[in-house]
Amino acid sequence: MSKLEALAADIATGAVQIVDLTHTLDPDFPVIILPPEFGQCARFRMEEVSAYDHRGPAWKWHNISMSEHTGTHFDAPSHWISGRDVPNGSVDEIPVDAFVGPAVVIDCSEGASQDADFELTPDVINKWEAEHGEIPADSWVLMRTDWSKRSGEAYLNMHEDGPHSPGPTPEGIRFLIDERNIRGFGTETVGTDAGQGSHYTPPYPAHYFLHGAGKYGLQCLANLDQLPATGAVLLAAPLKIKNGTGSPLRVLAMVTK
Ligand code: MN
């Protein structure tokens, strides 16, 4: 049996399980809110074209619209000014090998339950590596916070001084890029940066450093509590949008039982 035939057989028997890391596209799912002087991200919208009726007697379908950055979505290097000149930096140009690869999960759920502004620092990463080993190069690093279990206003957690949600410090994200050469970074929150990420230097350090280095982002992930710390393989292929800076997508993880 070839390796791929063995994999297919393991999926069929459940020895390899497929975990859905995706939220449902829904008009009520929150999108990031920027200060009012900036353009805004559109929520998911669906309009019925026909439903087995006079508009189309034997078929039902919808027209949909949304931002590239609505719901569970992928960030390409061209999303950020630091990545504007990265070769193959838009979703249609990224080599497809990048869409399948290993993932590690850093569990920050306990810290995030006590502090909405919990930070992923080099110290947190070093402690994780002491237990699980060094993060392999070219891995996705997923920051588990259990934030995906929140809904409504608690998800963005907007206060008078802006949103409060966990994320990496500039030093934390630079460690992952400079010392571990990761493929990308994924979160359960509305962005790869902390809610208060505009206050770091540089502002929004995950976006700035990841995309400047040609790395990718995933956000609004779900079910990270169903993944092992190491050993999962991620399937995360954005839509092939010409010059697209990101895309909603279905993110799946393969895990061994
Ligand atoms: Mn985005």
Side-chain angles (χ1 to χ4, degrees):
M1 208 187 278
S2 74
K3 284 180 183 175
L4 286 179
E5 287 168 329
L7 173 62
D10 281 346
I11 292 170
T13 63
V16 170
Q17 293 187 326
I18 310 293
V19 181
D20 190 356
L21 307 186
T22 320
H23 282 286
T24 302
L25 281 170
D26 175 331
D28 292 332
F29 191 81
V31 295
I32 197 165
I33 298 171
L34 298 183
E37 63 268 30
F38 298 124
Q40 300 294 328
C41 178
R43 287 185 178 228
F44 178 74
R45 193 163 156 266
M46 185 163 77
E47 114 190 62
E48 195 174 85
V49 181
S50 72
Y52 331 117
D53 54 25
H54 68 282
R55 298 169 299 174
W59 52 91
K60 177 177 178 178
W61 52 354
H62 303 102
N63 287 328
I64 58 173
S65 62
M66 72 204 87
S67 166
E68 294 170 331
H69 298 264
T70 298
T72 301
H73 71 275
F74 184 104
D75 280 0
S78 65
H79 179 40
W80 217 252
I81 191 165
S82 54
R84 66 193 295 176
D85 296 323
V86 167
N88 303 315
S90 58
V91 285
D92 56 323
E93 296 171 339
I94 295 170
V96 294
D97 291 2
F99 303 150
V100 182
V104 304
V105 180
I106 301 180
D107 184 0
C108 302
S109 59
E110 195 180 322
S113 73
Q114 290 158 15
D115 177 8
D117 298 311
F118 181 84
E119 294 176 313
L120 180 65
T121 62
D123 190 46
V124 172
I125 298 164
N126 291 335
K127 282 181 180 147
W128 183 93
E129 289 192 327
E131 191 177 345
H132 301 288
E134 190 169 303
I135 295 167
D138 205 24
S139 297
W140 283 103
V141 174
L142 308 180
M143 181 182 177
R144 174 185 163 194
T145 55
D146 288 349
W147 216 256
S148 59
K149 297 176 182 176
R150 293 179 171 227
S151 60
E153 291 186 356
Y155 188 71
L156 294 182
N157 198 27
M158 192 69 78
H159 293 227
E160 273 185 20
D161 61 349
H164 289 263
S165 55
T169 61
E171 297 76 21
I173 201 70
R174 289 204 66 165
F175 179 86
L176 294 174
I177 297 165
D178 298 341
E179 305 298 327
R180 296 294 176 262
N181 196 21
I182 63 168
R183 178 180 306 196
F185 179 70
T187 65
E188 294 183 54
T189 54
V190 78
T192 49
D193 273 295
Q196 291 287 294
S198 65
H199 298 299
Y200 290 122
T201 305
Y204 307 108
H207 284 83
Y208 186 84
F209 290 121
L210 284 168
H211 303 321
K215 312 298 189 187
Y216 313 117
L218 287 169
Q219 46 258 280
C220 306
L221 294 170
N223 295 326
L224 295 189
D225 58 344
Q226 295 180 31
L227 300 187
T230 63
V233 172
L234 222 60
L235 308 169
L239 297 175
K240 200 170 181 178
I241 302 168
K242 189 166 180 66
N243 297 322
T245 69
S247 157
L249 77 172
R250 194 79 179 249
V251 183
L252 304 176
M254 292 193 287
V255 300
T256 50
K257 180 115 198 234

PDB file of all heavy atoms in Angstrom, residues 129-163:
ATOM      1  N   GLU A 129       8.151  24.723  24.855  1.00  0.00           N
ATOM      2  CA  GLU A 129       9.171  23.890  24.210  1.00  0.00           C
ATOM      3  C   GLU A 129       9.881  22.974  25.199  1.00  0.00           C
ATOM      4  O   GLU A 129      10.297  21.868  24.833  1.00  0.00           O
ATOM      5  CB  GLU A 129      10.194  24.778  23.483  1.00  0.00           C
ATOM      6  CG  GLU A 129       9.616  25.442  22.239  1.00  0.00           C
ATOM      7  CD  GLU A 129      10.686  26.081  21.363  1.00  0.00           C
ATOM      8  OE1 GLU A 129      11.702  26.565  21.921  1.00  0.00           O
ATOM      9  OE2 GLU A 129      10.498  26.096  20.133  1.00  0.00           O
ATOM     10  N   ALA A 130       9.989  23.410  26.450  1.00  0.00           N
ATOM     11  CA  ALA A 130      10.619  22.553  27.471  1.00  0.00           C
ATOM     12  C   ALA A 130       9.802  21.283  27.665  1.00  0.00           C
ATOM     13  O   ALA A 130      10.355  20.215  27.983  1.00  0.00           O
ATOM     14  CB  ALA A 130      10.742  23.321  28.784  1.00  0.00           C
ATOM     15  N   GLU A 131       8.510  21.372  27.425  1.00  0.00           N
ATOM     16  CA  GLU A 131       7.624  20.207  27.600  1.00  0.00           C
ATOM     17  C   GLU A 131       7.453  19.407  26.314  1.00  0.00           C
ATOM     18  O   GLU A 131       7.395  18.178  26.337  1.00  0.00           O
ATOM     19  CB  GLU A 131       6.258  20.698  28.090  1.00  0.00           C
ATOM     20  CG  GLU A 131       5.337  19.588  28.554  1.00  0.00           C
ATOM     21  CD  GLU A 131       4.018  20.136  29.109  1.00  0.00           C
ATOM     22  OE1 GLU A 131       3.949  21.359  29.396  1.00  0.00           O
ATOM     23  OE2 GLU A 131       3.072  19.354  29.216  1.00  0.00           O
ATOM     24  N   HIS A 132       7.388  20.106  25.170  1.00  0.00           N
ATOM     25  CA  HIS A 132       6.985  19.445  23.920  1.00  0.00           C
ATOM     26  C   HIS A 132       8.095  19.390  22.875  1.00  0.00           C
ATOM     27  O   HIS A 132       7.889  18.803  21.804  1.00  0.00           O
ATOM     28  CB  HIS A 132       5.774  20.171  23.323  1.00  0.00           C
ATOM     29  CG  HIS A 132       4.586  20.201  24.230  1.00  0.00           C
ATOM     30  ND1 HIS A 132       3.823  19.093  24.485  1.00  0.00           N
ATOM     31  CD2 HIS A 132       4.058  21.197  24.975  1.00  0.00           C
ATOM     32  CE1 HIS A 132       2.847  19.405  25.333  1.00  0.00           C
ATOM     33  NE2 HIS A 132       2.970  20.678  25.651  1.00  0.00           N
ATOM     34  N   GLY A 133       9.233  19.997  23.145  1.00  0.00           N
ATOM     35  CA  GLY A 133      10.319  20.018  22.170  1.00  0.00           C
ATOM     36  C   GLY A 133      10.279  21.279  21.317  1.00  0.00           C
ATOM     37  O   GLY A 133       9.285  22.013  21.311  1.00  0.00           O
ATOM     38  N   GLU A 134      11.376  21.490  20.579  1.00  0.00           N
ATOM     39  CA  GLU A 134      11.495  22.708  19.784  1.00  0.00           C
ATOM     40  C   GLU A 134      10.460  22.722  18.655  1.00  0.00           C
ATOM     41  O   GLU A 134      10.201  21.695  18.030  1.00  0.00           O
ATOM     42  CB  GLU A 134      12.915  22.795  19.208  1.00  0.00           C
ATOM     43  CG  GLU A 134      13.215  24.127  18.561  1.00  0.00           C
ATOM     44  CD  GLU A 134      14.707  24.272  18.233  1.00  0.00           C
ATOM     45  OE1 GLU A 134      15.533  24.164  19.159  1.00  0.00           O
ATOM     46  OE2 GLU A 134      15.015  24.482  17.046  1.00  0.00           O
ATOM     47  N   ILE A 135       9.878  23.882  18.412  1.00  0.00           N
ATOM     48  CA  ILE A 135       8.905  24.031  17.320  1.00  0.00           C
ATOM     49  C   ILE A 135       9.621  23.776  16.000  1.00  0.00           C
ATOM     50  O   ILE A 135      10.603  24.454  15.680  1.00  0.00           O
ATOM     51  CB  ILE A 135       8.292  25.447  17.344  1.00  0.00           C
ATOM     52  CG1 ILE A 135       7.474  25.641  18.623  1.00  0.00           C
ATOM     53  CG2 ILE A 135       7.443  25.685  16.104  1.00  0.00           C
ATOM     54  CD1 ILE A 135       7.084  27.090  18.890  1.00  0.00           C
ATOM     55  N   PRO A 136       9.163  22.794  15.211  1.00  0.00           N
ATOM     56  CA  PRO A 136       9.856  22.497  13.943  1.00  0.00           C
ATOM     57  C   PRO A 136       9.716  23.652  12.952  1.00  0.00           C
ATOM     58  O   PRO A 136       8.677  24.320  12.902  1.00  0.00           O
ATOM     59  CB  PRO A 136       9.132  21.246  13.417  1.00  0.00           C
ATOM     60  CG  PRO A 136       8.355  20.701  14.569  1.00  0.00           C
ATOM     61  CD  PRO A 136       8.041  21.872  15.450  1.00  0.00           C
ATOM     62  N   ALA A 137      10.761  23.871  12.161  1.00  0.00           N
ATOM     63  CA  ALA A 137      10.707  24.895  11.120  1.00  0.00           C
ATOM     64  C   ALA A 137       9.551  24.595  10.170  1.00  0.00           C
ATOM     65  O   ALA A 137       9.171  23.444   9.964  1.00  0.00           O
ATOM     66  CB  ALA A 137      12.025  24.929  10.348  1.00  0.00           C
ATOM     67  N   ASP A 138       8.991  25.656   9.596  1.00  0.00           N
ATOM     68  CA  ASP A 138       7.924  25.563   8.599  1.00  0.00           C
ATOM     69  C   ASP A 138       6.620  24.998   9.164  1.00  0.00           C
ATOM     70  O   ASP A 138       5.806  24.434   8.429  1.00  0.00           O
ATOM     71  CB  ASP A 138       8.383  24.737   7.388  1.00  0.00           C
ATOM     72  CG  ASP A 138       7.619  25.097   6.121  1.00  0.00           C
ATOM     73  OD1 ASP A 138       7.101  26.230   6.048  1.00  0.00           O
ATOM     74  OD2 ASP A 138       7.517  24.251   5.226  1.00  0.00           O
ATOM     75  N   SER A 139       6.422  25.146  10.479  1.00  0.00           N
ATOM     76  CA  SER A 139       5.155  24.723  11.094  1.00  0.00           C
ATOM     77  C   SER A 139       4.195  25.898  11.211  1.00  0.00           C
ATOM     78  O   SER A 139       4.615  27.051  11.356  1.00  0.00           O
ATOM     79  CB  SER A 139       5.398  24.213  12.528  1.00  0.00           C
ATOM     80  OG  SER A 139       6.199  23.085  12.544  1.00  0.00           O
ATOM     81  N   TRP A 140       2.914  25.579  11.192  1.00  0.00           N
ATOM     82  CA  TRP A 140       1.917  26.515  11.715  1.00  0.00           C
ATOM     83  C   TRP A 140       1.998  26.491  13.230  1.00  0.00           C
ATOM     84  O   TRP A 140       2.082  25.420  13.838  1.00  0.00           O
ATOM     85  CB  TRP A 140       0.506  26.076  11.321  1.00  0.00           C
ATOM     86  CG  TRP A 140       0.114  26.362   9.911  1.00  0.00           C
ATOM     87  CD1 TRP A 140       0.060  25.469   8.878  1.00  0.00           C
ATOM     88  CD2 TRP A 140      -0.316  27.617   9.378  1.00  0.00           C
ATOM     89  NE1 TRP A 140      -0.367  26.108   7.732  1.00  0.00           N
ATOM     90  CE2 TRP A 140      -0.612  27.418   8.014  1.00  0.00           C
ATOM     91  CE3 TRP A 140      -0.474  28.902   9.919  1.00  0.00           C
ATOM     92  CZ2 TRP A 140      -1.055  28.453   7.179  1.00  0.00           C
ATOM     93  CZ3 TRP A 140      -0.916  29.927   9.092  1.00  0.00           C
ATOM     94  CH2 TRP A 140      -1.195  29.701   7.749  1.00  0.00           C
ATOM     95  N   VAL A 141       1.974  27.647  13.863  1.00  0.00           N
ATOM     96  CA  VAL A 141       1.869  27.745  15.325  1.00  0.00           C
ATOM     97  C   VAL A 141       0.492  28.315  15.643  1.00  0.00           C
ATOM     98  O   VAL A 141       0.154  29.421  15.210  1.00  0.00           O
ATOM     99  CB  VAL A 141       2.980  28.629  15.916  1.00  0.00           C
ATOM    100  CG1 VAL A 141       2.754  28.834  17.414  1.00  0.00           C
ATOM    101  CG2 VAL A 141       4.343  27.993  15.666  1.00  0.00           C
ATOM    102  N   LEU A 142      -0.301  27.532  16.379  1.00  0.00           N
ATOM    103  CA  LEU A 142      -1.669  27.931  16.708  1.00  0.00           C
ATOM    104  C   LEU A 142      -1.738  28.265  18.191  1.00  0.00           C
ATOM    105  O   LEU A 142      -1.322  27.479  19.041  1.00  0.00           O
ATOM    106  CB  LEU A 142      -2.647  26.795  16.371  1.00  0.00           C
ATOM    107  CG  LEU A 142      -2.533  26.244  14.939  1.00  0.00           C
ATOM    108  CD1 LEU A 142      -3.554  25.126  14.721  1.00  0.00           C
ATOM    109  CD2 LEU A 142      -2.704  27.347  13.907  1.00  0.00           C
ATOM    110  N   MET A 143      -2.250  29.462  18.472  1.00  0.00           N
ATOM    111  CA  MET A 143      -2.374  29.942  19.848  1.00  0.00           C
ATOM    112  C   MET A 143      -3.773  29.617  20.357  1.00  0.00           C
ATOM    113  O   MET A 143      -4.752  30.264  19.973  1.00  0.00           O
ATOM    114  CB  MET A 143      -2.110  31.446  19.898  1.00  0.00           C
ATOM    115  CG  MET A 143      -2.187  32.044  21.291  1.00  0.00           C
ATOM    116  SD  MET A 143      -1.906  33.833  21.240  1.00  0.00           S
ATOM    117  CE  MET A 143      -2.135  34.250  22.975  1.00  0.00           C
ATOM    118  N   ARG A 144      -3.837  28.583  21.213  1.00  0.00           N
ATOM    119  CA  ARG A 144      -5.149  28.208  21.776  1.00  0.00           C
ATOM    120  C   ARG A 144      -5.478  29.121  22.950  1.00  0.00           C
ATOM    121  O   ARG A 144      -4.675  29.249  23.887  1.00  0.00           O
ATOM    122  CB  ARG A 144      -5.127  26.751  22.233  1.00  0.00           C
ATOM    123  CG  ARG A 144      -6.418  26.382  22.943  1.00  0.00           C
ATOM    124  CD  ARG A 144      -6.404  24.977  23.524  1.00  0.00           C
ATOM    125  NE  ARG A 144      -7.472  24.851  24.502  1.00  0.00           N
ATOM    126  CZ  ARG A 144      -7.580  23.874  25.378  1.00  0.00           C
ATOM    127  NH1 ARG A 144      -6.678  22.911  25.407  1.00  0.00           N
ATOM    128  NH2 ARG A 144      -8.587  23.861  26.234  1.00  0.00           N
ATOM    129  N   THR A 145      -6.647  29.733  22.913  1.00  0.00           N
ATOM    130  CA  THR A 145      -7.100  30.577  24.020  1.00  0.00           C
ATOM    131  C   THR A 145      -8.515  30.224  24.464  1.00  0.00           C
ATOM    132  O   THR A 145      -9.019  30.800  25.428  1.00  0.00           O
ATOM    133  CB  THR A 145      -7.101  32.062  23.596  1.00  0.00           C
ATOM    134  OG1 THR A 145      -7.909  32.190  22.403  1.00  0.00           O
ATOM    135  CG2 THR A 145      -5.689  32.552  23.321  1.00  0.00           C
ATOM    136  N   ASP A 146      -9.177  29.319  23.735  1.00  0.00           N
ATOM    137  CA  ASP A 146     -10.600  28.991  23.929  1.00  0.00           C
ATOM    138  C   ASP A 146     -11.501  30.195  23.646  1.00  0.00           C
ATOM    139  O   ASP A 146     -12.672  30.207  24.032  1.00  0.00           O
ATOM    140  CB  ASP A 146     -10.871  28.412  25.323  1.00  0.00           C
ATOM    141  CG  ASP A 146     -10.327  26.994  25.459  1.00  0.00           C
ATOM    142  OD1 ASP A 146      -9.938  26.405  24.423  1.00  0.00           O
ATOM    143  OD2 ASP A 146     -10.285  26.477  26.591  1.00  0.00           O
ATOM    144  N   TRP A 147     -10.936  31.224  22.972  1.00  0.00           N
ATOM    145  CA  TRP A 147     -11.717  32.409  22.627  1.00  0.00           C
ATOM    146  C   TRP A 147     -12.880  32.054  21.694  1.00  0.00           C
ATOM    147  O   TRP A 147     -13.902  32.739  21.661  1.00  0.00           O
ATOM    148  CB  TRP A 147     -10.811  33.462  21.968  1.00  0.00           C
ATOM    149  CG  TRP A 147     -11.180  34.853  22.347  1.00  0.00           C
ATOM    150  CD1 TRP A 147     -11.843  35.759  21.569  1.00  0.00           C
ATOM    151  CD2 TRP A 147     -10.928  35.517  23.595  1.00  0.00           C
ATOM    152  NE1 TRP A 147     -12.008  36.947  22.263  1.00  0.00           N
ATOM    153  CE2 TRP A 147     -11.458  36.813  23.505  1.00  0.00           C
ATOM    154  CE3 TRP A 147     -10.297  35.129  24.781  1.00  0.00           C
ATOM    155  CZ2 TRP A 147     -11.388  37.741  24.539  1.00  0.00           C
ATOM    156  CZ3 TRP A 147     -10.222  36.036  25.825  1.00  0.00           C
ATOM    157  CH2 TRP A 147     -10.761  37.324  25.701  1.00  0.00           C
ATOM    158  N   SER A 148     -12.723  30.979  20.935  1.00  0.00           N
ATOM    159  CA  SER A 148     -13.770  30.585  19.981  1.00  0.00           C
ATOM    160  C   SER A 148     -15.044  30.141  20.687  1.00  0.00           C
ATOM    161  O   SER A 148     -16.088  30.019  20.055  1.00  0.00           O
ATOM    162  CB  SER A 148     -13.262  29.449  19.092  1.00  0.00           C
ATOM    163  OG  SER A 148     -12.894  28.341  19.878  1.00  0.00           O
ATOM    164  N   LYS A 149     -14.963  29.878  21.990  1.00  0.00           N
ATOM    165  CA  LYS A 149     -16.166  29.479  22.729  1.00  0.00           C
ATOM    166  C   LYS A 149     -16.997  30.695  23.141  1.00  0.00           C
ATOM    167  O   LYS A 149     -18.111  30.542  23.623  1.00  0.00           O
ATOM    168  CB  LYS A 149     -15.767  28.655  23.954  1.00  0.00           C
ATOM    169  CG  LYS A 149     -15.082  27.353  23.548  1.00  0.00           C
ATOM    170  CD  LYS A 149     -14.585  26.537  24.713  1.00  0.00           C
ATOM    171  CE  LYS A 149     -13.885  25.295  24.183  1.00  0.00           C
ATOM    172  NZ  LYS A 149     -13.286  24.472  25.231  1.00  0.00           N
ATOM    173  N   ARG A 150     -16.433  31.885  22.953  1.00  0.00           N
ATOM    174  CA  ARG A 150     -17.203  33.106  23.233  1.00  0.00           C
ATOM    175  C   ARG A 150     -18.108  33.411  22.041  1.00  0.00           C
ATOM    176  O   ARG A 150     -17.830  33.017  20.921  1.00  0.00           O
ATOM    177  CB  ARG A 150     -16.259  34.286  23.451  1.00  0.00           C
ATOM    178  CG  ARG A 150     -15.412  34.168  24.706  1.00  0.00           C
ATOM    179  CD  ARG A 150     -14.489  35.364  24.831  1.00  0.00           C
ATOM    180  NE  ARG A 150     -13.822  35.389  26.133  1.00  0.00           N
ATOM    181  CZ  ARG A 150     -13.722  36.464  26.906  1.00  0.00           C
ATOM    182  NH1 ARG A 150     -14.208  37.632  26.504  1.00  0.00           N
ATOM    183  NH2 ARG A 150     -13.100  36.406  28.070  1.00  0.00           N
ATOM    184  N   SER A 151     -19.185  34.176  22.305  1.00  0.00           N
ATOM    185  CA  SER A 151     -20.038  34.608  21.200  1.00  0.00           C
ATOM    186  C   SER A 151     -20.552  36.013  21.508  1.00  0.00           C
ATOM    187  O   SER A 151     -20.411  36.513  22.631  1.00  0.00           O
ATOM    188  CB  SER A 151     -21.205  33.637  21.005  1.00  0.00           C
ATOM    189  OG  SER A 151     -21.979  33.587  22.179  1.00  0.00           O
ATOM    190  N   GLY A 152     -21.127  36.631  20.495  1.00  0.00           N
ATOM    191  CA  GLY A 152     -21.695  37.963  20.664  1.00  0.00           C
ATOM    192  C   GLY A 152     -20.640  38.977  21.083  1.00  0.00           C
ATOM    193  O   GLY A 152     -19.503  38.940  20.618  1.00  0.00           O
ATOM    194  N   GLU A 153     -21.023  39.872  21.991  1.00  0.00           N
ATOM    195  CA  GLU A 153     -20.144  40.976  22.372  1.00  0.00           C
ATOM    196  C   GLU A 153     -18.887  40.506  23.096  1.00  0.00           C
ATOM    197  O   GLU A 153     -17.856  41.176  23.082  1.00  0.00           O
ATOM    198  CB  GLU A 153     -20.905  41.969  23.257  1.00  0.00           C
ATOM    199  CG  GLU A 153     -21.993  42.716  22.478  1.00  0.00           C
ATOM    200  CD  GLU A 153     -22.658  43.803  23.309  1.00  0.00           C
ATOM    201  OE1 GLU A 153     -22.340  43.941  24.504  1.00  0.00           O
ATOM    202  OE2 GLU A 153     -23.499  44.515  22.728  1.00  0.00           O
ATOM    203  N   ALA A 154     -18.977  39.341  23.735  1.00  0.00           N
ATOM    204  CA  ALA A 154     -17.809  38.837  24.473  1.00  0.00           C
ATOM    205  C   ALA A 154     -16.675  38.435  23.541  1.00  0.00           C
ATOM    206  O   ALA A 154     -15.527  38.305  23.967  1.00  0.00           O
ATOM    207  CB  ALA A 154     -18.227  37.642  25.334  1.00  0.00           C
ATOM    208  N   TYR A 155     -16.994  38.241  22.241  1.00  0.00           N
ATOM    209  CA  TYR A 155     -15.950  37.800  21.304  1.00  0.00           C
ATOM    210  C   TYR A 155     -14.971  38.934  20.993  1.00  0.00           C
ATOM    211  O   TYR A 155     -13.758  38.796  21.173  1.00  0.00           O
ATOM    212  CB  TYR A 155     -16.582  37.253  20.027  1.00  0.00           C
ATOM    213  CG  TYR A 155     -15.577  36.598  19.106  1.00  0.00           C
ATOM    214  CD1 TYR A 155     -14.995  35.371  19.427  1.00  0.00           C
ATOM    215  CD2 TYR A 155     -15.191  37.205  17.920  1.00  0.00           C
ATOM    216  CE1 TYR A 155     -14.064  34.779  18.591  1.00  0.00           C
ATOM    217  CE2 TYR A 155     -14.265  36.609  17.074  1.00  0.00           C
ATOM    218  CZ  TYR A 155     -13.713  35.397  17.414  1.00  0.00           C
ATOM    219  OH  TYR A 155     -12.778  34.825  16.586  1.00  0.00           O
ATOM    220  N   LEU A 156     -15.478  40.066  20.551  1.00  0.00           N
ATOM    221  CA  LEU A 156     -14.588  41.215  20.329  1.00  0.00           C
ATOM    222  C   LEU A 156     -14.160  41.827  21.659  1.00  0.00           C
ATOM    223  O   LEU A 156     -13.090  42.405  21.763  1.00  0.00           O
ATOM    224  CB  LEU A 156     -15.281  42.280  19.470  1.00  0.00           C
ATOM    225  CG  LEU A 156     -15.609  41.904  18.026  1.00  0.00           C
ATOM    226  CD1 LEU A 156     -16.243  43.091  17.313  1.00  0.00           C
ATOM    227  CD2 LEU A 156     -14.375  41.431  17.277  1.00  0.00           C
ATOM    228  N   ASN A 157     -15.039  41.716  22.679  1.00  0.00           N
ATOM    229  CA  ASN A 157     -14.741  42.217  24.025  1.00  0.00           C
ATOM    230  C   ASN A 157     -14.343  43.695  23.985  1.00  0.00           C
ATOM    231  O   ASN A 157     -13.290  44.087  24.502  1.00  0.00           O
ATOM    232  CB  ASN A 157     -13.643  41.351  24.658  1.00  0.00           C
ATOM    233  CG  ASN A 157     -13.572  41.509  26.159  1.00  0.00           C
ATOM    234  OD1 ASN A 157     -14.570  41.832  26.810  1.00  0.00           O
ATOM    235  ND2 ASN A 157     -12.398  41.304  26.721  1.00  0.00           N
ATOM    236  N   MET A 158     -15.210  44.483  23.338  1.00  0.00           N
ATOM    237  CA  MET A 158     -14.937  45.907  23.133  1.00  0.00           C
ATOM    238  C   MET A 158     -15.194  46.700  24.410  1.00  0.00           C
ATOM    239  O   MET A 158     -16.251  46.564  25.021  1.00  0.00           O
ATOM    240  CB  MET A 158     -15.840  46.413  21.999  1.00  0.00           C
ATOM    241  CG  MET A 158     -15.484  47.784  21.473  1.00  0.00           C
ATOM    242  SD  MET A 158     -13.925  47.826  20.582  1.00  0.00           S
ATOM    243  CE  MET A 158     -14.399  47.125  19.001  1.00  0.00           C
ATOM    244  N   HIS A 159     -14.216  47.495  24.804  1.00  0.00           N
ATOM    245  CA  HIS A 159     -14.361  48.404  25.944  1.00  0.00           C
ATOM    246  C   HIS A 159     -14.204  49.830  25.422  1.00  0.00           C
ATOM    247  O   HIS A 159     -13.974  50.037  24.228  1.00  0.00           O
ATOM    248  CB  HIS A 159     -13.307  48.107  27.017  1.00  0.00           C
ATOM    249  CG  HIS A 159     -13.491  46.784  27.694  1.00  0.00           C
ATOM    250  ND1 HIS A 159     -13.445  46.609  29.052  1.00  0.00           N
ATOM    251  CD2 HIS A 159     -13.728  45.531  27.194  1.00  0.00           C
ATOM    252  CE1 HIS A 159     -13.637  45.343  29.364  1.00  0.00           C
ATOM    253  NE2 HIS A 159     -13.807  44.661  28.254  1.00  0.00           N
ATOM    254  N   GLU A 160     -14.291  50.805  26.324  1.00  0.00           N
ATOM    255  CA  GLU A 160     -14.143  52.197  25.889  1.00  0.00           C
ATOM    256  C   GLU A 160     -12.783  52.461  25.252  1.00  0.00           C
ATOM    257  O   GLU A 160     -12.653  53.294  24.358  1.00  0.00           O
ATOM    258  CB  GLU A 160     -14.338  53.146  27.078  1.00  0.00           C
ATOM    259  CG  GLU A 160     -15.799  53.503  27.293  1.00  0.00           C
ATOM    260  CD  GLU A 160     -15.989  54.529  28.396  1.00  0.00           C
ATOM    261  OE1 GLU A 160     -15.019  55.243  28.725  1.00  0.00           O
ATOM    262  OE2 GLU A 160     -17.113  54.595  28.920  1.00  0.00           O
ATOM    263  N   ASP A 161     -11.783  51.733  25.694  1.00  0.00           N
ATOM    264  CA  ASP A 161     -10.436  51.927  25.145  1.00  0.00           C
ATOM    265  C   ASP A 161     -10.116  50.917  24.037  1.00  0.00           C
ATOM    266  O   ASP A 161      -8.967  50.722  23.689  1.00  0.00           O
ATOM    267  CB  ASP A 161      -9.389  51.841  26.267  1.00  0.00           C
ATOM    268  CG  ASP A 161      -9.391  50.490  26.952  1.00  0.00           C
ATOM    269  OD1 ASP A 161     -10.328  49.687  26.718  1.00  0.00           O
ATOM    270  OD2 ASP A 161      -8.449  50.214  27.722  1.00  0.00           O
ATOM    271  N   GLY A 162     -11.143  50.286  23.476  1.00  0.00           N
ATOM    272  CA  GLY A 162     -10.916  49.365  22.365  1.00  0.00           C
ATOM    273  C   GLY A 162     -11.092  47.914  22.768  1.00  0.00           C
ATOM    274  O   GLY A 162     -11.457  47.610  23.904  1.00  0.00           O
ATOM    275  N   PRO A 163     -10.813  46.996  21.822  1.00  0.00           N
ATOM    276  CA  PRO A 163     -11.030  45.575  22.090  1.00  0.00           C
ATOM    277  C   PRO A 163      -9.939  44.981  22.989  1.00  0.00           C
ATOM    278  O   PRO A 163      -8.787  45.435  22.969  1.00  0.00           O
ATOM    279  CB  PRO A 163     -10.977  44.949  20.695  1.00  0.00           C
ATOM    280  CG  PRO A 163     -10.148  45.883  19.885  1.00  0.00           C
ATOM    281  CD  PRO A 163     -10.350  47.253  20.450  1.00  0.00           C
TER     282      PRO A 163
END
